Amino acid sequence: MAVYLARRRCHYSTVTVHKYMNTEMKLHSLVRPKKPGCRRGKPHKIFENRLQREFQADRANHKWCTDFTYLFLKNGETRYNCSIVDLYDRSVIASVTERQITSGLAIRTLKKALESQPQIKEELILHSDQGAVYASKAFNELLPMYSITRSMSRAGTPTDNAAMESINGWIKAEIFMDFHVTGESPVEQEVATYITFFNTARPAYSLKYLTPQQYKEAYAPKDFITGVNAGS
């Protein structure tokens, strides 16, 4: 918030902003619960871990990460979201939410990501965990068609995909805590609305408090500046 105010030529220390938000406005931060620990699993379909926890990229469309996450709704239903993030600007370039988790969901998300980006001429690495969907024949047969280099985390090692895990965590927390998604209205549309907010209005610490859209506009070549509405 101090950064927001500074951009509007209102300069206050973070301590002052924190004090007024807490005491005067009764606004408090939301803390995500810690995830339970995990045990190292056995490999299924193995591809080399080409990312090697290097979660920085020097150009757009060089390193993509993907993963599924569960959305547990207050009405008792569950939705499954598949997203792809470009590590260059931490933007969600594709996001699809459906009622079932299938290889088709992963394929639709990948195709949406490819359609949203300009023609990719250099190497593109797609990193995921070793989940059954990402190890499926249907998903991996699609990648050579687009000259995509495959990369996988080690079995049972979510920290190998930490950037994606972190973004998924914030998406889930903020969708339910800040956007109050309950399932009473179409969840797919509400998630899409949040993804647009995430890409265009939510400043990121890792991007020097710029939004993904602002970061791309400031640093990426103009050929790479594309639309930011990735939700579905």
Short mmCIF file of all heavy atoms in Angstrom, two decimals, residues 14 16 21 35 44 64 70 102 120 133 146 150 170 206:
data_model
loop_
_atom_site.label_atom_id
_atom_site.label_comp_id
_atom_site.label_asym_id
_atom_site.label_seq_id
_atom_site.Cartn_x
_atom_site.Cartn_y
_atom_site.Cartn_z
N THR A 14 6.24 2.76 5.58
CA THR A 14 5.44 1.54 5.70
C THR A 14 4.88 1.39 7.11
O THR A 14 3.78 0.86 7.30
CB THR A 14 6.27 0.30 5.34
OG1 THR A 14 7.46 0.28 6.14
CG2 THR A 14 6.66 0.32 3.87
N THR A 16 3.93 3.86 9.14
CA THR A 16 2.78 4.76 9.26
C THR A 16 1.56 4.19 8.54
O THR A 16 0.45 4.20 9.06
CB THR A 16 3.13 6.14 8.67
OG1 THR A 16 4.21 6.70 9.41
CG2 THR A 16 1.93 7.08 8.76
N MET A 21 -3.77 1.62 8.73
CA MET A 21 -4.61 0.54 8.21
C MET A 21 -5.13 -0.35 9.34
O MET A 21 -6.28 -0.80 9.32
CB MET A 21 -3.83 -0.31 7.19
CG MET A 21 -3.55 0.42 5.88
SD MET A 21 -2.65 -0.59 4.69
CE MET A 21 -3.91 -1.81 4.27
N LYS A 35 1.41 -25.25 4.39
CA LYS A 35 1.10 -26.53 3.79
C LYS A 35 1.70 -27.67 4.61
O LYS A 35 2.76 -27.49 5.22
CB LYS A 35 1.65 -26.61 2.36
CG LYS A 35 0.93 -25.73 1.36
CD LYS A 35 1.46 -25.99 -0.03
CE LYS A 35 0.69 -25.20 -1.06
NZ LYS A 35 1.18 -25.49 -2.43
N HIS A 44 7.41 -41.59 -12.05
CA HIS A 44 6.46 -42.22 -12.97
C HIS A 44 7.04 -42.10 -14.38
O HIS A 44 7.80 -42.94 -14.80
CB HIS A 44 5.09 -41.56 -12.85
CG HIS A 44 4.05 -42.16 -13.73
ND1 HIS A 44 3.76 -43.50 -13.71
CD2 HIS A 44 3.24 -41.60 -14.67
CE1 HIS A 44 2.80 -43.75 -14.59
NE2 HIS A 44 2.48 -42.61 -15.19
N TRP A 64 8.21 -21.64 -18.98
CA TRP A 64 6.84 -21.71 -18.49
C TRP A 64 6.74 -22.78 -17.42
O TRP A 64 7.38 -23.84 -17.52
CB TRP A 64 5.88 -22.07 -19.61
CG TRP A 64 5.64 -21.00 -20.64
CD1 TRP A 64 6.20 -19.76 -20.69
CD2 TRP A 64 4.80 -21.11 -21.80
NE1 TRP A 64 5.76 -19.08 -21.79
CE2 TRP A 64 4.89 -19.88 -22.49
CE3 TRP A 64 3.99 -22.10 -22.30
CZ2 TRP A 64 4.21 -19.63 -23.68
CZ3 TRP A 64 3.29 -21.87 -23.48
CH2 TRP A 64 3.39 -20.64 -24.16
N TYR A 70 -6.65 -27.30 -6.61
CA TYR A 70 -8.03 -27.61 -6.27
C TYR A 70 -8.70 -26.38 -5.69
O TYR A 70 -8.12 -25.66 -4.88
CB TYR A 70 -8.08 -28.74 -5.23
CG TYR A 70 -7.43 -30.03 -5.68
CD1 TYR A 70 -6.05 -30.20 -5.62
CD2 TYR A 70 -8.20 -31.08 -6.15
CE1 TYR A 70 -5.45 -31.38 -6.03
CE2 TYR A 70 -7.61 -32.28 -6.54
CZ TYR A 70 -6.24 -32.42 -6.48
OH TYR A 70 -5.65 -33.59 -6.88
N THR A 102 -8.26 -33.79 -15.89
CA THR A 102 -7.96 -34.74 -16.96
C THR A 102 -6.80 -34.22 -17.80
O THR A 102 -6.42 -33.05 -17.70
CB THR A 102 -9.18 -34.92 -17.87
OG1 THR A 102 -9.47 -33.65 -18.51
CG2 THR A 102 -10.41 -35.39 -17.09
N ILE A 120 6.56 -18.09 -31.31
CA ILE A 120 7.73 -18.42 -30.49
C ILE A 120 8.82 -19.01 -31.38
O ILE A 120 8.65 -20.08 -31.97
CB ILE A 120 7.35 -19.40 -29.37
CG1 ILE A 120 6.27 -18.78 -28.48
CG2 ILE A 120 8.57 -19.79 -28.54
CD1 ILE A 120 5.68 -19.72 -27.47
N VAL A 133 -1.26 -36.70 -15.12
CA VAL A 133 -1.73 -35.96 -16.30
C VAL A 133 -0.55 -35.45 -17.11
O VAL A 133 -0.52 -35.57 -18.35
CB VAL A 133 -2.63 -34.79 -15.87
CG1 VAL A 133 -2.87 -33.85 -17.03
CG2 VAL A 133 -3.96 -35.31 -15.34
N TYR A 146 5.07 -28.23 -31.19
CA TYR A 146 5.39 -26.82 -30.96
C TYR A 146 6.84 -26.62 -30.53
O TYR A 146 7.20 -25.54 -30.07
CB TYR A 146 4.45 -26.26 -29.89
CG TYR A 146 2.99 -26.33 -30.28
CD1 TYR A 146 2.19 -27.40 -29.85
CD2 TYR A 146 2.41 -25.36 -31.09
CE1 TYR A 146 0.84 -27.47 -30.21
CE2 TYR A 146 1.07 -25.43 -31.45
CZ TYR A 146 0.29 -26.50 -31.01
OH TYR A 146 -1.02 -26.58 -31.36
N ARG A 150 10.67 -30.33 -22.76
CA ARG A 150 10.00 -30.80 -21.55
C ARG A 150 10.95 -30.77 -20.36
O ARG A 150 12.14 -31.07 -20.46
CB ARG A 150 9.50 -32.23 -21.77
CG ARG A 150 8.48 -32.70 -20.77
CD ARG A 150 7.17 -31.97 -20.97
NE ARG A 150 6.14 -32.55 -20.10
CZ ARG A 150 5.92 -32.15 -18.86
NH1 ARG A 150 6.63 -31.16 -18.35
NH2 ARG A 150 4.97 -32.71 -18.14
N TRP A 170 -1.23 -18.21 -3.70
CA TRP A 170 -1.81 -16.87 -3.59
C TRP A 170 -3.14 -16.78 -4.34
O TRP A 170 -4.09 -16.12 -3.88
CB TRP A 170 -0.83 -15.83 -4.14
CG TRP A 170 0.27 -15.52 -3.20
CD1 TRP A 170 1.61 -15.75 -3.39
CD2 TRP A 170 0.16 -14.97 -1.90
NE1 TRP A 170 2.33 -15.37 -2.30
CE2 TRP A 170 1.46 -14.88 -1.36
CE3 TRP A 170 -0.92 -14.55 -1.12
CZ2 TRP A 170 1.71 -14.38 -0.09
CZ3 TRP A 170 -0.68 -14.05 0.15
CH2 TRP A 170 0.63 -13.96 0.66
N SER A 206 8.45 -9.63 -6.38
CA SER A 206 9.54 -10.13 -7.22
C SER A 206 9.72 -9.29 -8.48
O SER A 206 10.75 -9.40 -9.16
CB SER A 206 9.28 -11.59 -7.61
OG SER A 206 8.07 -11.70 -8.35
#
